Amino acid sequence: MTSKTEKQLNQLIDVYQHQDHTKITCSSAEHRNVVEREPRRLREDPVAFMMNLGLYYQGTGWRGYKSYIGNKVFYPEFSTRMKAMVLSSKRVQEIIDELANRQSERLQLTQNPSKMAKLSDEQRSKLLHKQRKALRRELEAVAKGIAEKCVAKLDDIRFIRFFAFTVNNILVRLYHQGIHIKESEWVELKRVALIAQEKKQSLILVPSHKSHIDYLVVSYLMFRLGLQIPHIVAGDNLDLPIVGSVLKNAGAFYIRREWGDDLLYKTILEEYTVTLLSEGMNFECFVEGTRSRLGKLLQPKLGIIKIILEAMINERFSDCHIVPISIGYDKIIETSSYANELLGNPKEKESLWGIITNTRLLQLKWGRVDVRLGKPYSLRGWLEDQQKKKDDRITPIIFSLHSPMDLTDNSQKAILLKSLGYRILSDINNVCVVMPSALVGTVILTLRGRGVGRSELIRRVDWLTRIIAVKGGQVSEFHGMSTGAIVDRTVAIHKDLIGEHKGKDILEPTFYGINPFELSYYRNQVIHLFVEEAIVCAALYTVIKKGGGKAMQRMKYDEMLEEISFLSSLLKLDMIYKPGGVENNTQRTVQWLVDNQVIEVDQEGWVGLSDVERQCGRENYDFLCFLIWPFVESYWLAGVSLFSLAPPNINGSPAEGTIWVESKLFEKRSQALGKTLYYQGDLSYLEAVNKETLSNAMTRFEEQGVIVKRRHFDRKQWSEISLHDDYIPQRLNGVLTPRGHLWELVERIGKFRREGKNRRDNATVSTRVIRLADILGEDNLQPSANQKALMKKRTQENAKL
């Protein structure tokens, strides 16, 4: 760092201390509630509230937002300048010319040949030139409209102060215990931001995405702590009356979920992104693509990341700095709507505007928000590390930072993109904070029985807190508050999800899950810390569930590794594993479980439960299994539902031909089967019917060649699925039987499942399950509206032929 930048950093820390009345140092690791002194409601302290409003209006201290780190934003004509730079760029102009020429050539084919023949060469040339010019003007107007919608309007400093005041009041009312940060992380971010400012480089903020509140929290903290507010990539579904304009003036720019073959739109979006990065504008995008309905991180969506990475490789800007951010909430506003969506109910119309204007919500007290930052790193530095990396597990990545990337090499591009996407997700997981809601929800959902006493709940929360620390995770800092007080506070916040039995006839308060499906959202926030351990325990469960003595409940290490490899591969779209490969991860995980006395491995390579774990009633082992079992159930259900794709029984014999079912309809029918099995006791978890995990299971089965999918692009994009020939189930006397490759797959998955009510009666279970799948198959014979339209179209085409 230059001496100039070091001086700026020291000055900035002094200013920060003075403005926010909080002492910080570069070595500080203290936690702080940044809104601790903020008045929450007008009626609680009207004088303080009005004084705070006046400070925002006058722009006093940090509220004036005048000495932030980063290149200049919020000046008149900022957005006009950005639009002009994008529309006048060489690439956009070339695409407009190319499209105008294409359309002109098509137009010529429709013109009257005899009329054109009567014109002289000069007249014909003038006519064509005039047409191209008119087409170009039309395309320029379209381009201008696209840019108008895309480009954020960071033009008015008074607006952003008003917006910050509004967001401040929303956040302090919703989350009455504040917004907590770790100050040393923000000092480090400011250090990197000063370097980036000097070199005209951007910060790429990549937060976890759990709620609509996420982008409000990030932008508010950037405003409050004196950093340039980011441009935020937002879906065009948020471009609503009033709220769309408000967010756009606060940094949001709207993009379509899909842009297909729209070359002009794609080019303008890419040029706008590159312009922002080349101008050193901070940039925020959600690598998951959408809000997580399950509580854990989703697989990476690489659209915007791809644009940034390709522009970096093609030297469109010098460098940028990736900033992973984890945002934890005591309570998520949208969890009830998430649960309804996942159960297949119609999606509720909910938006940020609905949250802001919902006075009932703003009266609630939902605990606190914890924000953690990963250490920022240079994207160029990461690319150079990839170039040097020697990893036998993947093909080495070959590219030059001084020549354009070979975009025809799809394997190279895919490896690079995937590596970056998973690196970001891993970084977010590494800094995420486990909230009390996740601790309490996890304990309640990972204990056998109807409920748990208060003393036992406290003991297990203490155990989980310790084990998270051992795993290198972080738990919210509560400054000396007792575990009992934290548990009571969490139960009060989640009284709609956690019930309590108490009274004179109850010896101690006993807690239970009122809504385990919705509560599982909070449990899933812990799973990334224990996913490898959970899979090892589930693999061992394949022998433990059989019962018998200690010698019967163990398996050879190599056999266990085979089961682990199968289950890890099966769940790879739902889980984010640590780097290193299955064998290395298993060795490390088994050693951790041995060190913590959960399992033991003897000299002959036999793996089984430890004596300590048996004496404590398998509570730690069961905890790990309970984390993974709902996902195993989902994949088992997906496999069972595929029996409904078997050709029907006609006159005692299976019909010929393949059954094709529209994908979305099939997922809904699979959920209906799952709910039936749950209420009949053959499925242990209602959350196993959630459509997100079922969809991932179907994608995984497609990748494994179990099902075949064909996609259609007529009126809208849709798809159909059918069974691969090798997996079509057998019938005996017209009745589906538990035989063949599909049943073998279902049985293989079923080995890891939690024991159900019919643990010793597998034949009855399989007969009942297959009978229900066959009933479901009758619905699959009815074509959907899309299929009817497709059949009608094909009939008309055949008639023409």
Side-chain angles (χ1 to χ4, degrees):
M1 193 193 309
T2 64
S3 58
K4 177 184 175 184
T5 305
E6 288 176 351
K7 184 179 179 182
Q8 283 181 300
L9 177 59
N10 292 329
Q11 289 175 344
L12 186 125
I13 290 174
D14 290 339
V15 170
Y16 181 75
Q17 292 170 354
H18 174 72
Q19 288 181 341
D20 219 23
H21 312 291
T22 304
K23 184 180 179 182
I24 68 169
T25 66
C26 289
S27 61
S28 172
E30 295 180 357
H31 299 81
R32 181 167 70 96
N33 176 6
V34 297
V35 294
E36 188 172 8
R37 298 180 182 86
E38 293 294 309
R40 285 171 173 76
R41 289 174 170 81
L42 176 61
R43 65 187 178 195
E44 288 179 1
D45 191 342
V47 174
F49 187 89
M50 294 308 296
M51 285 182 64
N52 194 40
L53 174 60
L55 291 173
Y56 274 99
Y57 179 77
Q58 295 167 11
T60 304
W62 56 265
R63 297 171 181 85
Y65 200 59
K66 296 170 185 173
S67 56
Y68 54 84
I69 305 174
N71 289 305
K72 190 170 176 59
V73 288
F74 293 111
Y75 59 85
E77 307 302 320
F78 172 82
S79 59
T80 302
R81 175 174 169 263
M82 286 290 146
K83 280 183 276 192
M85 291 174 70
V86 171
L87 294 174
S88 63
S89 69
K90 182 181 177 182
R91 179 62 180 152
V92 170
Q93 291 299 312
E94 286 175 348
I95 291 299
I96 288 175
D97 284 334
E98 181 183 331
L99 293 175
N101 289 333
R102 284 188 199 172
Q103 292 180 18
S104 178
E105 289 170 3
R106 292 195 197 103
L107 190 60
Q108 290 175 45
L109 295 174
T110 64
Q111 290 175 340
N112 189 328
S114 60
K115 184 178 179 181
M116 292 295 289
K118 294 177 182 178
L119 300 176
S120 67
D121 290 344
E122 185 178 352
Q123 289 173 323
R124 193 179 298 112
S125 177
K126 284 182 178 180
L127 177 62
L128 295 176
H129 178 72
K130 185 178 178 181
Q131 288 175 344
R132 272 195 296 270
K133 199 171 179 181
L135 289 168
R136 200 180 193 289
R137 281 198 300 269
E138 289 177 10
L139 287 165
E140 285 175 340
V142 172
K144 188 176 179 181
I146 294 171
E148 187 67 35
K149 192 174 183 68
C150 281
V151 174
K153 295 182 178 179
L154 302 183
D155 298 335
D156 190 348
I157 190 67
R158 292 171 300 176
F159 171 84
I160 204 62
R161 292 207 298 260
F162 167 76
F163 182 75
F165 172 76
T166 304
V167 170
N168 173 80
N169 281 281
I170 290 168
L171 293 177
V172 298
R173 291 182 70 175
L174 270 178
Y175 294 99
H176 67 296
Q177 292 181 336
I179 302 172
H180 295 253
I181 64 170
K182 190 173 181 180
E183 291 185 306
S184 57
E185 295 172 350
W186 286 88
V187 171
E188 173 63 14
L189 179 61
K190 289 188 173 191
R191 184 188 70 80
V192 173
L194 278 170
I195 296 170
Q197 175 184 315
E198 189 175 75
K199 298 180 179 180
K200 206 175 181 182
Q201 294 171 352
S202 303
L203 303 178
I204 309 293
L205 309 177
V206 278
S208 55
H209 201 9
K210 296 174 182 172
S211 169
H212 279 307
I213 299 295
D214 295 334
Y215 28 85
L216 296 185
V217 169
V218 173
S219 290
Y220 175 75
L221 286 174
M222 297 291 278
F223 176 93
R224 175 123 193 184
L225 301 178
L227 290 150
Q228 183 202 88
I229 286 177
H231 287 70
I232 308 165
V233 182
D236 58 2
N237 59 305
L238 283 175
D239 191 9
L240 303 169
I242 304 176
V243 71
S245 178
V246 168
L247 292 178
K248 198 168 187 179
N249 281 276
F253 67 94
Y254 301 109
I255 66 170
R256 301 174 192 164
R257 293 291 182 184
E258 296 178 2
W259 51 79
D261 297 327
D262 191 336
L263 187 57
L264 183 58
Y265 181 87
K266 180 175 179 289
T267 303
I268 289 173
L269 178 61
E270 289 175 351
E271 284 301 305
Y272 181 45
T273 302
V274 170
T275 299
L276 292 176
L277 297 176
S278 62
E279 289 289 304
M281 297 297 148
N282 292 343
F283 194 90
E284 179 182 340
C285 62
F286 298 98
V287 74
E288 298 167 88
T290 187
R291 289 170 295 158
S292 171
R293 269 73 172 167
L294 292 177
K296 64 181 183 60
L297 291 183
L298 305 177
Q299 297 294 303
K301 301 292 190 299
L302 301 170
I304 292 294
I305 297 296
K306 175 184 173 185
I307 292 173
I308 295 171
L309 192 59
E310 289 178 355
M312 171 85 253
I313 291 169
N314 295 330
E315 298 288 339
R316 299 292 305 277
F317 60 95
S318 62
D319 198 2
C320 61
H321 304 269
I322 308 293
V323 187
I325 304 175
S326 174
I327 308 174
Y329 301 88
D330 266 329
K331 190 176 178 92
I332 297 289
I333 292 171
E334 301 100 325
T335 47
S336 61
S337 64
Y338 288 169
N340 281 328
E341 281 182 49
L342 292 173
L343 283 170
N345 299 321
K347 184 176 179 179
E348 296 177 19
K349 259 198 164 182
E350 45 87 30
S351 66
L352 178 62
W353 181 246
I355 293 167
I356 291 172
T357 56
N358 190 329
T359 54
R360 183 185 64 83
L361 278 180
L362 294 178
Q363 300 307 314
L364 300 175
K365 296 181 178 181
W366 282 4
R368 62 187 268 177
V369 182
D370 271 71
V371 181
R372 293 291 183 271
L373 308 181
K375 186 176 176 63
Y377 57 91
S378 156
L379 180 57
R380 180 174 289 275
W382 179 83
L383 286 169
E384 290 171 348
D385 287 343
Q386 295 302 300
Q387 180 75 345
K388 296 171 186 174
K389 184 188 288 186
K390 302 297 181 186
D391 192 334
D392 295 334
R393 291 178 294 111
I394 59 173
T395 305
I397 299 165
I398 309 291
F399 63 89
S400 168
L401 288 177
H402 304 290
S403 62
M405 181 180 182
D406 180 8
L407 298 182
T408 61
D409 188 345
N410 290 325
S411 61
Q412 179 190 125
K413 185 169 61 176
I415 291 171
L416 205 55
L417 278 171
K418 207 170 182 180
S419 297
L420 181 57
Y422 280 99
R423 162 70 192 269
I424 292 170
L425 291 178
S426 178
D427 289 340
I428 293 172
N429 270 339
N430 288 340
V431 297
C432 85
V433 172
V434 178
M435 305 297 287
S437 304
L439 295 172
V440 174
T442 299
V443 169
I444 288 176
L445 292 181
T446 55
L447 290 174
R448 296 182 184 272
R450 291 192 180 93
V452 57
R454 183 174 182 273
S455 58
E456 176 67 4
L457 179 57
I458 291 170
R459 184 181 75 83
R460 292 301 290 173
V461 167
D462 273 334
W463 171 84
L464 184 54
T465 302
R466 287 196 304 273
I467 211 73
I468 287 171
V470 170
K471 291 286 291 178
Q474 303 178 69
V475 176
S476 286
E477 173 60 50
F478 278 85
H479 309 291
M481 187 185 292
S482 71
T483 306
I486 294 170
V487 167
D488 293 339
R489 167 189 168 282
T490 302
V491 170
I493 291 171
H494 289 282
K495 58 187 176 183
D496 54 333
L497 301 182
I498 302 172
E500 181 181 1
H501 294 299
K502 59 182 179 180
K504 293 181 180 179
D505 54 342
I506 302 293
L507 298 181
E508 72 166 332
T510 301
F511 301 102
Y512 64 97
I514 298 173
N515 187 341
F517 191 104
E518 193 172 331
L519 194 59
S520 70
Y521 181 93
Y522 298 95
R523 182 209 59 211
N524 288 342
Q525 294 176 11
V526 175
I527 195 169
H528 69 279
L529 290 165
F530 302 101
V531 62
E532 284 90 358
E533 288 76 12
I535 287 175
V536 169
C537 290
L540 190 58
Y541 186 70
T542 60
V543 292
I544 288 177
K545 71 190 294 185
K546 295 176 182 178
K550 182 176 179 179
M552 298 293 292
Q553 295 185 343
R554 60 180 187 167
M555 62 198 308
K556 280 287 190 180
Y557 183 90
D558 290 344
E559 181 188 346
M560 187 179 72
L561 181 59
E562 185 180 339
E563 300 288 9
I564 290 168
S565 298
F566 171 81
L567 190 55
S568 299
S569 175
L570 184 73
L571 300 178
K572 74 175 189 177
L573 297 183
D574 275 289
M575 302 299 160
I576 296 171
Y577 305 119
K578 295 179 179 67
V582 174
E583 292 190 18
N584 290 335
N585 277 344
T586 299
Q587 288 176 3
R588 185 184 67 248
T589 303
V590 166
Q591 188 59 54
W592 188 89
L593 289 167
V594 169
D595 292 344
N596 286 273
Q597 299 182 305
V598 178
I599 64 174
E600 60 186 21
V601 183
D602 67 19
Q603 293 180 344
E604 296 177 358
W606 287 96
V607 184
L609 282 179
S610 70
D611 292 334
V612 172
E613 189 64 22
R614 289 177 181 278
Q615 289 166 9
C616 72
R618 265 175 40 181
E619 64 178 11
N620 301 325
Y621 172 81
D622 281 354
F623 161 80
L624 293 165
C625 288
F626 271 103
L627 289 176
I628 205 76
W629 274 335
F631 293 92
V632 173
E633 289 267 72
S634 240
Y635 279 73
W636 179 83
L637 170 62
V640 166
S641 66
L642 292 178
F643 274 84
S644 67
L645 295 176
N649 178 40
I650 298 176
N651 298 326
S653 301
E656 296 292 331
T658 303
I659 304 298
W660 289 94
V661 180
E662 187 172 347
S663 301
K664 288 187 177 179
L665 274 178
F666 185 78
E667 286 179 13
K668 288 181 181 178
R669 290 165 184 168
S670 299
Q671 286 187 295
L673 174 62
K675 290 174 185 177
T676 306
L677 292 174
Y678 174 75
Y679 293 124
Q680 292 185 1
D682 294 315
L683 204 63
S684 298
Y685 301 94
L686 182 59
E687 64 197 87
V689 309
N690 85 77
K691 68 178 185 180
E692 195 161 302
T693 309
L694 282 173
S695 178
N696 284 342
M698 292 303 170
T699 301
R700 194 72 191 98
F701 289 153
E702 182 189 0
E703 292 173 351
Q704 292 177 326
V706 179
I707 61 175
V708 179
K709 179 178 282 190
R710 60 187 186 190
R711 293 166 176 82
H712 304 281
F713 302 89
D714 37 291
R715 294 173 301 168
K716 59 180 180 179
Q717 185 176 342
W718 61 284
S719 62
E720 300 172 289
I721 64 168
S722 71
L723 280 171
H724 187 280
D725 290 346
D726 292 343
Y727 286 86
I728 293 177
Q730 301 174 13
R731 289 185 183 271
L732 183 63
N733 298 323
V735 179
L736 282 175
T737 60
R739 300 177 187 172
H741 293 321
L742 180 57
W743 186 253
E744 288 169 5
L745 174 64
V746 169
E747 282 282 87
R748 182 81 190 271
I749 298 170
K751 288 169 61 178
F752 304 97
R753 292 177 68 213
R754 180 186 176 188
E755 295 168 345
K757 68 174 185 180
N758 299 293
R759 53 179 288 192
R760 301 288 184 236
D761 196 8
N762 289 332
T764 303
V765 174
S766 63
T767 302
R768 181 167 54 251
V769 166
I770 288 179
R771 180 183 62 81
L772 290 172
D774 212 6
I775 293 172
L776 187 65
E778 295 173 8
D779 292 333
N780 290 339
L781 297 177
Q782 305 301 317
S784 68
N786 282 326
Q787 287 175 320
K788 287 178 181 177
L790 182 64
M791 287 188 287
K792 183 178 178 181
K793 181 181 177 182
R794 287 175 177 171
T795 302
Q796 291 171 344
E797 289 173 351
N798 290 334
K800 289 179 182 178
L801 291 173

